[in-house]
Amino acid sequence: MSKEFYSNGKLLISGEYLVLDGAFGFALPTSYGQSLVVKEIEKNQLHWISKDEKDITWFETTIDLKAFRSHPEKLHLDVASQEETNTLKTLVQILTTAQKLNSKFLNTDHGYQVTTTLSFPRNWGLGSSSTLINNIAQWAQIDAYSLLWGAFSGSGYDIAAAQNNHPILYQLKDQKPAIQEVVFKPLFAKHLYFVHLNKKQNSRTGIIQYRKQNFDLKATTTKINAVTKDILVSKTLSDFSMLIEKHEALLSAILGISTVKKTLFPDYKGSIKSLGAWGGDFILAAGDEQTPAYFKEKGFHTVLPYHKMIL
């Protein structure tokens, strides 16, 4: 007997960083995501296999479930490389939290073979962690937000995107997620591209930098929310471009960091917006049919049109 779960990847179009403090986050689920297949096996162990988008195994381990239930904190010592150690430590942290939320989870005489498969490269930053957390939550029959906040931190917008097949407005109200499905079908979508910056940004590092800043949170949130709402109803490419530039300027002033356009692409004729943590992963570029060639000439070869990236 086997079970399969799937979660969508995500891109945060507006509200980054401030979504942690109650601002609206406008998020789009992506056509890329992660699956998790669970098969029961006789041995009381968890055989875990993680595969990338090319179906190549990048992580594999076997966990004795009796030892896991007794001393989960010791399991991360049994893996060879530092990357494998970190991966196993993260996995055990998620599974341990899941079991605290549901005592029946993994508390069996039999075992499981679990295979996770990404449909996007691991360095794309579309939510390899959030899709995993949401899949494990489905398997363990627990609340995915409780799992996220029990094991790590974050706003939770990525969990909402993992669970929804439509654009959403996400907000933390009294530290509880509020999700509103919205309509976003821009007539100018053919002019929008997602460009990967050839590196993965650690969102936790970005959040630490954000937390160090001193600014008027209430006033800034009001401004960002207004921009987000205008983005949702923008009818033309010029209006949309003006709004994402306004958003970039507001965040640049808060973070004390130059916009990605000023830093990397000052000669680009269109508009550019960072997505999620500034400094890596994907950016959104508004332009024309020459946009892909521009970025590829600069050495950024992963340029996806809107219709290919967004669900």
Side-chain angles (χ1 to χ4, degrees):
M1 184 175 69
S2 65
K3 296 180 181 179
E4 182 169 359
F5 307 96
Y6 179 82
S7 295
N8 302 319
K10 48 70 186 176
L11 284 169
L12 187 60
I13 305 302
S14 69
E16 65 267 25
Y17 294 113
L18 290 160
V19 70
L20 291 161
D21 293 315
F24 284 115
F26 171 39
L28 295 174
T30 67
S31 55
Y32 300 92
Q34 183 167 204
S35 64
L36 184 148
V37 177
V38 182
K39 295 181 180 179
E40 288 189 7
I41 58 176
E42 288 186 11
K43 288 186 177 181
N44 190 217
Q45 61 186 27
L46 181 64
H47 182 200
W48 192 278
I49 303 168
S50 297
K51 294 187 175 185
D52 63 17
E53 82 286 1
K54 296 178 181 178
D55 205 39
I56 297 173
T57 298
W58 63 270
F59 175 75
E60 184 172 4
T61 191
T62 299
I63 298 172
D64 181 274
L65 287 177
K66 184 178 180 181
F68 168 77
R69 290 188 292 268
S70 302
H71 300 287
E73 73 281 356
K74 295 182 179 179
L75 295 173
H76 70 276
L77 301 174
D78 301 328
V79 187
S81 72
Q82 188 60 51
E83 181 184 8
E84 287 178 322
T85 298
N86 292 339
T87 300
L88 181 55
K89 189 174 182 179
T90 299
L91 175 60
V92 170
Q93 192 169 355
I94 297 170
L95 295 175
T96 302
T97 305
Q99 194 176 52
K100 288 178 181 176
L101 294 168
N102 179 2
S103 60
K104 295 180 180 179
F105 180 58
L106 299 181
N107 191 8
T108 63
D109 292 329
H110 59 266
Y112 303 95
Q113 176 179 292
V114 176
T115 304
T116 68
T117 306
L118 288 165
S119 63
F120 58 89
R122 290 167 58 209
N123 71 333
W124 273 17
L126 295 185
S128 53
S129 295
S130 57
T131 52
L132 175 63
I133 288 170
N134 193 59
N135 283 337
I136 290 176
Q138 292 179 79
W139 173 29
Q141 297 182 313
I142 56 176
D143 178 67
Y145 297 99
S146 298
L147 180 56
L148 169 68
W149 293 325
F152 306 109
S153 60
S155 71
Y157 89 87
D158 44 5
I159 297 297
Q163 298 176 351
N164 286 272
N165 295 329
H166 301 279
I168 57 169
L169 271 183
Y170 179 88
Q171 188 180 30
L172 281 175
K173 288 185 176 181
D174 299 321
Q175 297 306 306
K176 293 182 180 180
I179 300 108
Q180 178 185 347
E181 186 178 309
V182 294
V183 176
F184 185 68
K185 296 180 179 179
L187 299 174
F188 47 86
K190 66 179 180 180
H191 297 292
L192 303 180
Y193 300 87
F194 297 98
V195 184
H196 193 256
L197 295 181
N198 298 337
K199 61 179 180 177
K200 185 173 174 63
Q201 181 70 2
N202 187 324
S203 58
R204 292 170 196 163
T205 302
I207 290 170
I208 290 170
Q209 178 68 21
Y210 164 71
R211 290 298 186 203
K212 291 179 180 177
Q213 307 309 310
N214 185 20
F215 61 96
D216 188 330
L217 177 61
K218 186 176 181 180
T220 306
T221 297
T222 299
K223 291 177 183 178
I224 287 291
N225 283 349
V227 172
T228 293
K229 290 177 180 179
D230 287 341
I231 285 175
L232 287 173
V233 297
S234 56
K235 302 297 184 185
T236 66
L237 181 64
S238 59
D239 285 347
F240 181 83
S241 298
M242 179 271 293
L243 289 164
I244 63 174
E245 288 180 3
K246 186 175 181 180
H247 196 294
E248 285 287 274
L250 285 167
L251 263 293
S252 177
I254 290 172
L255 299 172
I257 302 173
S258 294
T259 65
V260 68
K261 183 173 180 178
K262 285 183 180 178
T263 304
L264 296 177
F265 311 109
D267 59 340
Y268 181 64
K269 295 180 180 179
S271 299
I272 295 174
K273 188 185 178 304
S274 294
L275 303 175
W278 282 34
D281 299 320
F282 281 94
I283 57 172
L284 171 62
D288 55 28
E289 62 275 3
Q290 300 302 316
T291 294
Y294 168 87
F295 286 102
K296 288 176 182 179
E297 285 174 6
K298 297 279 188 180
F300 302 93
H301 296 284
T302 301
V303 183
L304 281 71
Y306 184 93
H307 73 272
K308 185 174 181 181
M309 174 67 88
I310 303 305
L311 191 62

